[in-house]
Amino acid sequence: MLTEQLLPRRRIEALAPWPYQPAPLPDELLSSFLCRLAVGMDLKPITFLNTVFGSRKNLLAQDLDNHAPERIIERVSAGTQRSGYELADCTLPSYVGTLLTTHNSRGRNPWLLPTTIDNNIRHRFGLQYCPACLAEDERPYYRKIWRLGFVTACTRHGKGLHDRCSRCKAPLHPHAAATAIHCFRCGHDLREAEQGWVRSAHIAWQAHLENALHSGWMNLGGELLRSHIGFAIVRQVGTLFVNGRRADAFRDAVARDWGGDPRPYEKPTARQPIEYLAVEERHRLFGLVERVMQGWPYRFVHSCGEVGIQRSHAIKDMRSPPFAYERVLRQHLDATPYYASEPEVAAAAHWLRQTKGKATYRDLKAICGESRAAIYRHMDYERKQSKPSKWRSEAMASAPR
């Protein structure tokens, strides 16, 4: 009783449970859950959010799925009597550890499709949907996986996804729409959009990635990797098809040898993140990625060799290349000359003297590569020199002490 008297009355009222307390549906986005919550209490989403959190800061001008402030999670948790962890799992940062290594709440993240909201309007097509799924749902809602860049098809129905209204081409904005199944701009029923069938091999490959997302492990070329490492490799391979001087030739080589659509992608800048591409463009892109990554890494290495992609090109813009990726590049695509160490050159010279009687420059270079200074220090001259050569003088001067 004493505790209740000490607490502010307004705080007690603010944390009172709401009359409608639904549970998040499987893989539901937080924004979709808030819309269903508002509709269940016979309110518009904007009215509901302004009533609960105030109208000074418009929450619909934010991407709540990408970054939900802690106060929102706490209030919705108290109102619905659901765990805060359950609600946080409806947001995109929950992919840290399986898809992402870290999450940037104020910038773009690998694989997460941006919405770019300005003046309460979404300018990018960051929310995808499957018309067949929305038509089947008893309570239509938007899935968290529909915000991921590699997801371009519905593995349940075997059909391609949409990322805009099929009539007016506007991005999806469920908060401002009459219902979750209608376009906010023209009111068109999103469930009526036509869907094309997708190749079974592509569906199987995307299902493989989705399983890795859920299990935390990815099988890549017979090697079991942590899923976030595997996804980093898949994304980098996809980037090679989109950006760089060799992207066009790489697409042509893969399409010629393994199939796929090599047409260039519509992008306003020379180097653009793959998450900024439209869903049709990304579907063509991952059709090539799926083909070239079969039997990893041999198809990839073959196609890279055909167009001159070396290690330096294959890791461009990649801050921390995973070891599993680096190992493939070092073994097959590394054009860096090998510089043998001092003990290696000495051992090679000793072996040549035992087998050939003399350690010449040519024989040592064939064994030790470009270690010129060490070779000059350990080689045997074929003829006696009255004065040491410039190279030998410099090599002896730089000899390790």
Side-chain angles (χ1 to χ4, degrees):
M1 188 67 181
L2 180 61
T3 303
E4 293 181 358
Q5 292 177 351
L6 293 176
L7 290 174
R9 183 176 299 276
R10 291 182 61 186
R11 179 64 176 171
I12 296 176
E13 293 176 353
L15 296 181
W18 296 324
Y20 181 58
Q21 302 174 3
L25 296 172
D27 199 43
E28 185 173 19
L29 282 167
L30 179 64
S31 60
S32 175
F33 177 68
L34 292 177
C35 284
R36 287 198 306 110
L37 190 59
V39 171
M41 291 189 283
D42 202 23
L43 295 171
K44 292 181 178 180
I46 182 64
T47 305
F48 168 69
L49 292 176
N50 288 344
T51 300
V52 176
F53 301 104
S55 58
R56 289 187 175 182
K57 191 169 184 179
N58 187 359
L59 294 177
L60 296 184
Q62 308 173 34
D63 187 356
L64 293 179
D65 299 320
N66 191 45
H67 174 62
E70 187 176 349
R71 64 186 180 89
I72 294 180
I73 297 293
E74 291 179 351
R75 181 63 189 99
V76 176
S77 173
T80 60
Q81 300 292 286
R82 313 301 303 185
S83 166
Y85 295 104
E86 184 180 8
L87 296 175
D89 193 52
C90 296
T91 63
L92 299 177
S94 63
Y95 284 125
V96 172
T98 55
L99 180 69
L100 311 170
T101 53
T102 59
H103 178 264
N104 180 9
S105 62
R106 299 188 179 277
R108 62 182 180 87
N109 295 272
W111 293 123
L112 305 186
L113 300 178
T115 55
T116 312
I117 302 174
D118 184 34
N119 291 329
N120 303 337
I121 301 297
R122 295 184 175 185
H123 295 275
R124 293 195 184 274
F125 307 94
L127 179 57
Q128 307 175 117
Y129 69 99
C130 172
C133 287
L134 294 180
E136 282 186 357
D137 290 341
E138 181 180 351
R139 291 165 291 177
Y141 70 100
Y142 291 89
R143 279 72 165 166
K144 191 168 60 170
I145 202 169
W146 289 346
R147 288 291 305 270
L148 304 184
F150 70 87
V151 177
T152 61
C154 175
T155 55
R156 174 180 173 84
H157 297 101
K159 296 181 178 181
L161 298 182
H162 289 263
D163 63 354
R164 64 198 71 193
C165 172
S166 59
R167 176 184 290 175
C168 69
K169 309 304 179 185
L172 271 62
H173 202 339
H175 293 86
T179 68
I181 59 174
H182 290 94
C183 172
F184 84 100
R185 180 177 294 171
C186 68
H188 179 62
D189 192 333
L190 301 175
R191 299 172 297 181
E192 297 178 359
E194 295 183 1
Q195 291 178 273
W197 293 99
V198 177
R199 293 170 49 251
S200 59
H202 188 101
I203 293 294
W205 181 79
Q206 183 178 305
H208 170 68
L209 296 184
E210 292 180 11
N211 290 335
L213 192 64
H214 297 311
S215 67
W217 296 92
M218 181 185 294
N219 189 328
L220 191 60
E223 182 180 7
L224 198 60
L225 305 173
R226 292 299 300 267
S227 58
H228 67 275
I229 295 176
F231 278 113
I233 296 174
V234 172
R235 186 178 184 276
Q236 186 65 16
V237 172
T239 301
L240 295 178
F241 287 109
V242 179
N243 299 323
R245 293 180 299 170
R246 293 170 174 79
D248 294 342
F250 192 41
R251 289 195 305 271
D252 292 337
V254 171
R256 182 182 63 250
D257 294 337
W258 321 116
D261 188 345
R263 290 177 298 164
Y265 307 106
E266 295 183 6
K267 54 177 186 173
T269 57
R271 301 194 70 84
Q272 178 171 285
I274 60 177
E275 293 81 13
Y276 284 23
L277 298 176
V279 64
E280 295 86 0
E281 303 277 87
R282 281 185 286 107
H283 185 70
R284 292 196 298 110
L285 166 63
F286 287 107
L288 292 172
V289 174
E290 169 249 318
R291 288 173 169 90
V292 80
M293 294 195 71
Q294 289 183 23
W296 175 266
Y298 302 107
R299 286 189 176 187
F300 173 73
V301 170
H302 169 79
S303 298
C304 286
E306 282 196 334
V307 299
I309 291 180
Q310 299 174 356
R311 174 184 170 274
S312 58
H313 307 111
I315 62 171
K316 188 173 179 61
D317 298 332
M318 203 176 192
R319 292 183 178 178
S320 301
F323 174 74
Y325 186 55
E326 270 277 22
R327 184 179 59 223
V328 171
L329 303 182
R330 292 284 187 185
Q331 183 176 356
H332 300 284
L333 301 177
D334 194 357
T336 304
Y338 177 71
Y339 293 92
S341 64
E342 191 82 20
E344 289 175 324
V345 176
H350 178 70
W351 177 80
L352 286 172
R353 294 187 185 102
Q354 286 185 329
T355 57
K356 294 188 175 183
K358 186 177 292 187
T360 65
Y361 178 85
R362 180 175 298 179
D363 290 338
L364 279 174
K365 190 173 186 301
I367 297 174
C368 301
E370 297 295 329
S371 303
R372 175 180 289 185
I375 290 175
Y376 273 111
R377 286 192 288 270
H378 294 280
M379 63 176 282
D380 298 326
Y381 283 85
E382 298 184 13
R383 59 180 182 275
K384 187 175 181 180
Q385 292 183 315
S386 58
K387 182 180 179 181
S389 66
K390 172 186 175 183
W391 297 111
R392 181 171 176 80
S393 299
E394 292 180 356
M396 297 306 295
S398 62
R401 304 278 180 192

